[in-house]
Amino acid sequence: MIEFDDYENIEPLLRSGHVAIKYDKYMLVWGGYVDVNGIDSRYHSTDEIWLYDRLVEKWSHLKTSKTDFPIGTSGACGLVHEDKLYVFGGFRSSVTNDQHYSNEIHCLDLVKLTWQNYDCNVGQRPIACDKMVGWVHNDKLHYFGGFGLPPKTSWSVTAQKSQCQFCYDVIADGMVSRYGWNNQLVVFDPRSQKWKWPSFKGPPPIPRAAHAAAKVGNKVYIFGGRNLTVRMNDFHCLDLETMTWSGRLEVKGCVPSGRSWHSLVPISDNHLVLYGGFSQQHEAFSDCWLLNLDNMSWCSVPLQYPQPRMWHTACIGDPGEVLIFGGCTGNILNPRNPGQAEDVFALWFAPKSLLRLCLDALVRDNTGLERLWSQLPQSLQDILFKLGNQCVF
C-alpha cells in the first residue's frame, strides 16, 4: 500500500481520455492527452501516476519503472485489484495504421511501481478498441464494448456472431470505415493470464463506445454511449451471477438526454450518479442525475455551480462524495474550442463526515488552536500538518 509523508505543490496537467480510479484513500490518475493549440494532441507520460489524497486535497506524483509500460494512450480502461493497476486497450500515439487501437493489457504493481506487459496468447484475445468500460468481479477483470478494429476473420463463427456484434462506422459520402463499434463482453483472469468470452443469456446492449458503467453488488448497469451517429440514453443491467442481460430497462420520470463520454458511479447500494457527457448537438453537458434503483426512477440534481464536462472521470471519495476530474469543457470535435479542465471538484450527496468538519474547523481557526494539536492522536496531527496553514476543504 502506498503511503506519503510529503505532498507536492504541483498538479497534473490538463487531460482527457485518462484513467482515474479509487485506490485506498486516493484517486489514482494515469495517462490521457492534452490538446495543444487546437492543432495536435500530446499524450501524457505513461511511466508515472498521480495520486490525489481526497482528505487533504493534495496531489503526489510518482515515477514508475521504465520497462514494459504502455505507450501514450487515451480511452483505455483502468481497473485496480489487489494493489495492482490493470490498463487495457485504448488508442495509442506514436504508432500507425491498425496498431493505433490496442488489445494489450499492462499491469502496474502499486507497491513496487513496476510494470508488466501481459502479452497473452492464452484464450481468444479481445477486439482492439478504446472507450470501453470495465469492472472487477470474483477476482477477474470484465470489459464491455468499445470502438476500434473489426473481429479478425480467423475467429470462429461462434465468437463473431454469438459472442459479439460489430457495427462499422460510416464516413463521408456513405463510405464504410475500417473501424466501428462492438459489444464484446470479455473476461481476463490475472492469475492464469487467460482471456475468456463468457456465455450469457438475454439481449445484450447494441454495439457502443464512450458509454458508462457502474457495478453495485452482483449487477452492472450500463447507460448511453454512441452507436453510428446516435448518442443513446438506454439503460441496461447485467446480472453477474446468472450472466443474464436485462434488455433495455424501463425507467420512470424524466430521462437524461442521450450522451456519450459521461460518467456513472454508485454512491450507495441503491443510487447511481450520472454526470456530464457529450450531447447529440455536440455540446458538453453540465447536468447531474440521480437514479434510484429501488423504483427505477431518474431525478435531476440541481447544482449551484454546474461545470460542463465530457470525457472526464468520476470517482467515489468519502461516503456520498463524487470527485470529478479533468475532461473537456467544449466541443471535442471542434479543434479550435475543445476546452480542457485540470481541476477536481466534488459533488456531495451526504453531509461531510464529522472528521472532515472538525479538521476544517481546526485549520480555519489555527491561530488559537494550533498549540493544542499536539494533544491529538498522531494520525490526526499528521493530517493537520499536511494541510498546512490553509483550509483546503
Side-chain angles (χ1 to χ4, degrees):
M1 192 69 66
I2 298 175
E3 290 290 344
F4 299 100
D5 293 324
D6 298 310
Y7 290 83
E8 304 172 53
N9 292 320
I10 56 175
E11 297 181 356
L13 298 173
L14 300 165
R15 66 186 64 209
S16 301
H18 53 285
V19 166
I21 190 166
K22 181 179 180 181
Y23 173 58
D24 190 36
K25 64 180 181 179
Y26 306 106
M27 174 175 66
L28 185 157
V29 175
W30 176 88
Y33 74 95
V34 60
D35 184 76
V36 182
N37 299 323
I39 300 175
D40 198 9
S41 296
R42 180 180 301 158
Y43 283 75
H44 290 296
S45 297
T46 52
D47 62 344
E48 64 180 18
I49 57 173
W50 291 84
L51 291 162
Y52 180 75
D53 189 323
R54 57 188 190 272
L55 180 59
V56 301
E57 299 189 0
K58 292 188 177 182
W59 289 96
S60 290
H61 174 240
L62 292 177
K63 298 296 288 185
T64 67
S65 65
K66 294 290 185 179
T67 58
D68 290 331
F69 62 90
I71 62 177
T73 305
S74 63
C77 183
L79 299 173
V80 167
H81 181 55
E82 294 182 342
D83 289 325
K84 292 182 178 180
L85 168 67
Y86 295 89
V87 177
F88 168 66
F91 184 87
R92 306 181 297 183
S93 65
S94 305
V95 293
T96 58
N97 301 326
D98 289 347
Q99 295 180 357
H100 271 308
Y101 292 99
S102 170
N103 63 354
E104 295 180 355
I105 188 163
H106 291 75
C107 174
L108 174 64
D109 187 312
L110 293 171
V111 177
K112 300 177 181 178
L113 295 179
T114 54
W115 285 97
Q116 181 180 359
N117 182 0
Y118 289 162
D119 188 13
C120 311
N121 292 312
V122 181
Q124 194 164 274
R125 296 185 69 165
I127 295 172
C129 60
D130 68 352
K131 299 186 285 290
M132 72 294 284
V133 295
W135 58 90
V136 179
H137 182 68
N138 287 344
D139 298 319
K140 296 179 177 61
L141 315 180
H142 296 63
Y143 303 96
F144 174 76
F147 181 89
L149 298 174
K152 293 182 179 179
T153 56
S154 61
W155 286 7
S156 67
V157 173
T158 299
Q160 291 186 53
K161 294 186 177 180
S162 298
Q163 300 281 12
C164 175
Q165 301 167 357
F166 191 85
C167 177
Y168 281 95
D169 191 12
V170 178
I171 53 180
D173 300 324
M175 296 180 60
V176 176
S177 168
R178 298 165 58 195
Y179 311 109
W181 294 266
N182 68 70
N183 66 350
Q184 68 177 347
L185 176 63
V186 291
V187 178
F188 181 74
D189 186 338
R191 294 175 181 173
S192 66
Q193 297 185 24
K194 181 178 180 179
W195 285 104
K196 180 182 178 181
W197 293 65
S199 299
F200 54 79
K201 296 174 286 187
I206 65 172
R208 65 193 60 213
H211 46 302
K215 180 175 180 284
V216 179
N218 293 324
K219 294 184 177 180
V220 170
Y221 297 91
I222 307 284
F223 179 84
R226 179 184 170 186
N227 176 283
L228 292 173
T229 61
V230 179
R231 291 177 171 83
M232 301 172 286
N233 65 348
D234 53 343
F235 190 57
H236 300 258
C237 176
L238 174 64
D239 188 313
L240 296 171
E241 293 301 302
T242 63
M243 292 303 292
T244 303
W245 284 104
S246 64
R248 181 165 183 161
L249 293 169
E250 294 297 325
V251 292
K252 303 173 184 176
C254 188
V255 178
S257 301
R259 64 192 66 203
S260 57
W261 282 318
H262 49 288
S263 60
L264 184 71
V265 293
I267 57 168
S268 71
D269 291 340
N270 53 5
H271 287 93
L272 307 180
V273 174
L274 170 71
Y275 190 83
F278 195 47
S279 76
Q280 193 70 38
Q281 293 73 38
H282 297 172
E283 297 176 344
F285 280 114
S286 59
D287 57 346
C288 181
W289 295 78
L290 187 68
L291 176 67
N292 186 324
L293 294 173
D294 289 338
N295 59 19
M296 296 301 292
S297 63
W298 287 103
C299 68
S300 177
V301 179
L303 300 176
Q304 187 174 5
Y305 302 108
Q307 301 185 45
R309 287 290 188 278
M310 56 157 291
W311 215 0
H312 58 285
T313 49
C315 294
I316 296 299
D318 282 346
E321 179 190 32
V322 178
L323 299 173
I324 306 294
F325 172 67
C328 291
T329 60
N331 181 358
I332 195 173
L333 303 179
N334 180 357
R336 296 183 178 180
N337 185 33
Q340 285 187 294
E342 61 183 344
D343 59 325
V344 178
F345 67 92
L347 304 173
W348 285 94
F349 295 87
K352 290 185 179 181
S353 67
L354 182 58
L355 171 62
R356 291 191 69 158
L357 292 172
C358 290
L359 290 172
D360 186 2
L362 283 170
V363 174
R364 184 172 56 243
D365 302 327
N366 65 340
T367 303
L369 297 175
E370 189 172 5
R371 60 186 176 82
L372 301 176
W373 288 5
S374 61
Q375 299 180 32
L376 294 171
Q378 187 61 49
S379 59
L380 295 182
Q381 291 184 49
D382 293 342
I383 294 173
L384 288 168
F385 285 118
K386 288 174 185 177
L387 286 170
N389 293 321
Q390 60 177 350
C391 175
V392 296
F393 296 94

